[in-house]
């Protein structure tokens, strides 16, 4: 008897739709020129399928929208804060909660508390806002991710892992007293959404405990990381996503969270810690930078939606469909021969711009160029993750990252499989004419985080 393939479908149905604006190539060319060929500066209304980021762009559930109506907008002691605190303790396992307007608010407070001038902060590949806050506090970030993470073709399943020899060498060189914490991210963004294994986390915890060093977790996509552990790491195939998430967190001392990703909300984040002294200082500092410690720059309704979203984010059916859609797009693009980061990560597809446009030097911004060309072809908005995002060193020199990528980030619960087909076909059309594409020059560069606001011109 012939077997029939069993497809999967999204574990939800659509209650409301947002109509999209369809544009012509001429209209997109005008929009690109007005935006200085920077996809961050495009107007949302001129975008057909928006893959700029998965941050704050997900669709909330009916339960989350219902929770918004339960917003307790008291200035102090909002009931929504206590609900959120309870959920963070139960689902994530951290003792103390400091809400912030988003993840970078937590990074700012954490950096000011723990980092002093001359400190070294090791981490499994930099992230833009995280490294900047560390540098502004007087620290220096050191990359200790495994070498496989810098090779887009390498299919090692846990390319987010930390190289323990690199970490140990830093401890020997600088001394544990100059390392306030290890900055550990799950689902490493700049590496292509690559996960860290539970075994690696256990080894990290053992080494840092030996030297009295904290582990601070960037947990913005922890549920996606848990999915890869469940699927690929021996001994976890029968554990739930919720169980795996809690175990991941148990090997860390605290976390910064942009709830705009995993937790399925449009705004919000938090700092969560187990150390009372750190909590006490953060609780005082949040009042200066964010708001009272029981709202941290958020409305009560936002905290309620976040509390509900956290619970939904660790649901096995949800995360299987979420990552499954990303994998579907990645496999479709590989069928067209498009060079992408392998294995496929959890939150998006990362196109290898160096291989896509080998005739364009890194100083001519191949990833920035490719993102503009994809938009011009179809109205699909993507973003650069290469030399522009990497920024400059303290001495003014550019960082030259090994990875020069275009990120196609999939919002959660927003687009259909048909949208994924349109995206793959657009990138494939650009790939066919890749030899005719010219690079760009930067004509305006802001002081910080230049990828948000820099302007370019075609060469």
């Amino acid at each position: 008897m012939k077997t029939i393939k069993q497809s999967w479908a999204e574990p939800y149905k659509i209650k409301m739709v947002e109509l999209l604006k369809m544009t012509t190539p001429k209209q997109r060319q005008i929009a690109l020129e007005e935006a200085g060929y920077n996809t961050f500066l495009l107007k949302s209304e001129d975008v057909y399928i928006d893959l700029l980021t998965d941050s704050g762009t997900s669709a909330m559930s009916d339960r989350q929208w219902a929770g918004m109506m339960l917003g307790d907008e008291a200035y102090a002691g909002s009931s929504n804060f206590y609900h959120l605190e309870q959920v963070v303790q139960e689902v994530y396992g951290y003792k103390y909660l400091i809400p912030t307007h988003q993840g970078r608010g937590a990074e700012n407070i954490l950096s000011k508390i723990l980092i002093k001038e001359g400190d070294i902060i090791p981490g499994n590949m930099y992230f833009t806002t995280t490294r900047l806050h560390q540098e502004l506090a007087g620290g220096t970030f050191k990359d200790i991710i495994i070498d496989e993470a810098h090779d887009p073709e390498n299919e090692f399943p846990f390319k987010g892992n930390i190289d323990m020899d690199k970490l140990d060498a830093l401890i020997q060189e600088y001394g544990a007293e100059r390392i306030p914490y290890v900055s550990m991210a799950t689902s490493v963004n700049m590496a292509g959404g690559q996960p860290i294994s539970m075994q690696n986390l256990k080894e990290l915890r053992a080494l840092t405990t030996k030297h009295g060093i904290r582990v601070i977790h960037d947990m913005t996509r922890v549920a996606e990381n848990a999915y890869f552990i469940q699927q690929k790491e021996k001994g976890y195939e029968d554990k739930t996503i919720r169980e795996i998430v809690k175990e991941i967190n148990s090997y860390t001392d605290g976390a910064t969270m942009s709830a705009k990703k995993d937790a399925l909300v449009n705004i919000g984040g938090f700092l969560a810690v187990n150390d009372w002294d750190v909590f006490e200082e953060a609780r005082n500092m949040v009042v200066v930078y964010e708001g009272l410690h029981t709202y941290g720059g958020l409305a009560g309704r936002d905290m309620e939606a976040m509390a509900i979203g956290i619970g939904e984010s660790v649901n096995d059916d949800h995360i299987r469909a979420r990552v499954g859609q990303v994998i579907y797009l990645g496999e479709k693009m590989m069928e067209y021969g498009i060079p992408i980061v392998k294995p496929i990560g959890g939150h998006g597809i990362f196109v290898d711009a160096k291989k896509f446009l080998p005739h364009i030097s890194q100083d001519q911004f191949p990833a920035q160029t490719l993102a503009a060309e994809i938009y011009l072809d179809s109205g699909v908005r993507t973003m650069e993750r290469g030399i522009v995002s990497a920024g400059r060193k303290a001495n003014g020199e550019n960082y030259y990252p090994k990875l020069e990528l275009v990120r196609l980030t999939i919002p959660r619960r927003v687009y259909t499989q048909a949208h994924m087909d349109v995206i793959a076909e657009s990138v494939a059309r650009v790939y066919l004419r890749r030899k005719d594409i010219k690079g760009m020059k930067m004509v305006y560069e802001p002081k910080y985080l230049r990828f948000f606001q820099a302007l370019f011109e075609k060469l």
Side-chain angles (χ1 to χ4, degrees):
M1 181 178 176
K2 184 178 179 181
T3 57
I4 304 297
K5 176 185 174 183
Q6 183 171 342
S7 298
W8 63 270
E10 292 81 0
Y12 54 81
K13 61 182 180 180
I14 297 168
K15 282 193 174 184
M16 183 174 72
V17 297
E18 175 185 347
L19 301 182
L20 300 174
K21 175 182 174 182
M22 309 299 288
T23 56
T24 65
K26 184 177 179 180
Q27 289 172 323
R28 295 194 289 272
Q29 180 63 52
I30 293 171
L32 260 182
E33 291 173 358
E34 290 179 348
Y37 292 89
N38 186 341
T39 53
F40 273 95
L41 300 179
L42 290 167
K43 294 177 181 176
S44 175
E45 65 178 21
D46 293 327
V47 174
Y48 172 37
I49 300 174
D50 203 343
L51 309 183
L52 187 74
T53 181
D54 61 332
S55 179
T57 58
S58 299
M60 291 203 300
S61 69
D62 52 355
R63 293 177 64 253
Q64 286 178 289
W65 280 108
M68 295 279 278
M69 300 306 295
L70 300 176
D72 174 7
E73 306 308 340
Y75 185 86
S78 166
S79 59
N80 308 122
F81 165 78
Y82 294 108
H83 181 204
L84 177 60
E85 181 184 53
Q86 177 189 8
V87 169
V88 168
Q89 290 168 344
E90 290 179 356
V91 176
Y92 293 142
Y94 295 113
K95 291 181 182 178
Y96 308 115
L97 171 72
I98 303 96
T100 58
H101 77 284
Q102 60 185 70
R104 69 194 61 177
E107 291 171 348
N108 176 44
I109 292 170
L110 179 77
S111 298
K112 288 181 180 296
I113 291 172
L114 294 184
I115 299 172
K116 60 184 183 298
E117 192 72 33
D119 277 352
I120 304 298
I121 303 92
N124 54 342
M125 200 171 282
Y126 83 98
F127 183 68
T128 51
T129 58
T130 312
R131 186 179 68 188
L132 179 58
H133 282 121
Q134 292 165 351
E135 291 173 346
L136 291 174
T140 300
F141 176 84
K142 296 287 186 179
D143 191 358
I144 54 169
I145 202 165
I146 58 173
D147 291 339
E148 289 88 337
H150 297 285
D151 178 5
E153 293 292 323
N154 192 300
E155 298 206 37
F156 182 67
F158 293 103
K159 286 163 71 173
N161 278 0
I162 287 171
D163 187 318
M164 296 303 156
D165 290 336
K166 291 180 182 178
L167 176 56
D168 191 55
L170 286 179
I171 295 171
Q172 300 308 317
E173 180 178 357
Y174 295 102
E177 65 279 0
R178 286 186 61 187
I179 300 176
Y181 61 91
V182 173
S183 183
M184 184 280 295
T186 40
S187 296
V188 180
N189 191 351
M190 304 300 279
Q194 299 299 312
I196 185 170
S197 72
M198 197 73 82
Q199 180 59 38
N200 190 249
L201 282 168
K202 293 175 182 177
E203 293 169 5
L204 174 64
R205 179 75 282 176
L207 182 58
T208 53
T209 299
K210 176 183 175 182
H211 294 281
I213 299 172
R214 291 185 178 91
V215 175
I216 299 296
H217 179 193
D218 177 351
M219 63 178 295
T220 191
R221 297 181 181 90
V222 66
E224 292 166 12
N225 198 112
Y227 177 78
F228 287 113
I229 289 174
Q230 184 191 63
Q231 297 300 307
K232 298 181 179 182
E233 191 163 1
K234 187 177 179 180
Y236 288 90
E237 57 275 5
D238 295 325
K239 289 187 177 292
T240 65
I241 296 298
R242 187 170 178 140
E243 289 169 337
I244 296 169
V245 164
K246 199 160 188 178
E247 183 176 346
I248 289 171
N249 296 341
S250 73
Y251 301 124
T252 70
D253 300 290
T256 58
M257 174 63 157
S258 172
K260 296 164 68 177
K261 284 85 165 177
D262 257 6
L264 300 161
V265 290
N266 305 126
I267 197 68
F270 58 77
L271 173 63
V273 295
N274 293 327
D275 187 320
W276 170 264
D277 292 335
V278 176
F279 168 65
E280 181 68 8
E281 195 164 351
R283 189 169 59 167
N284 286 315
M285 197 169 287
V286 74
V287 179
V288 178
Y289 291 103
E290 300 282 322
L292 197 66
H293 64 281
T294 53
Y295 78 88
L298 295 171
R301 56 183 174 270
D302 297 325
M303 291 189 285
E304 189 65 28
M306 193 193 309
I308 296 168
I310 288 170
E312 293 178 357
S313 76
V314 293
N315 177 279
D316 284 65
D317 290 334
H318 158 73
I319 205 70
R320 187 183 304 114
R322 188 283 186 278
V323 178
Q325 189 175 58
V326 177
I327 292 171
Y328 175 88
L329 175 59
E331 291 176 344
K332 202 83 177 171
M333 291 176 71
M334 285 192 289
E335 288 175 13
Y336 289 118
I338 297 163
I340 67 172
V341 172
K342 302 170 187 173
I344 297 167
H347 68 290
I349 302 304
F350 290 68
V351 178
D352 185 349
K354 284 184 179 180
K355 283 197 172 72
F356 198 111
L357 301 172
H359 58 287
I360 298 178
S361 71
Q362 203 165 14
D363 286 315
Q364 294 179 0
F365 313 114
Q368 191 76 35
T369 299
L370 180 53
E373 292 293 336
I374 293 170
Y375 172 76
L376 185 61
D377 178 81
S378 60
V380 173
R381 175 158 65 170
T382 62
M383 73 161 294
E384 183 267 5
R385 275 296 182 227
I387 187 173
V388 182
S389 292
R392 294 186 185 273
K393 302 175 185 177
N395 63 7
E397 294 179 1
N398 279 314
Y399 285 105
Y400 286 90
K402 293 180 181 178
L403 297 176
E404 184 74 18
L405 308 174
V406 172
R407 188 181 78 177
L408 292 78
T409 337
I410 314 301
R412 298 159 185 82
R413 307 192 294 203
V414 172
Y415 294 117
T416 66
Q417 300 297 71
H419 287 112
M420 299 302 109
D421 292 337
V422 168
I423 295 161
E425 291 161 6
S426 175
V427 180
R429 284 193 298 271
V430 176
Y431 193 56
L432 289 177
R433 60 178 178 84
R434 61 192 181 279
K435 293 180 181 178
D436 298 325
I437 296 172
K438 302 284 193 287
M440 297 196 293
K441 64 178 179 179
M442 191 184 298
V443 295
Y444 168 70
E445 180 177 354
K447 186 176 180 180
Y448 298 123
L449 300 175
R450 64 187 183 182
F451 63 94
F452 283 130
Q453 297 170 331
L455 301 177
F456 302 85
E457 288 180 357
K458 293 289 286 183
L459 291 173

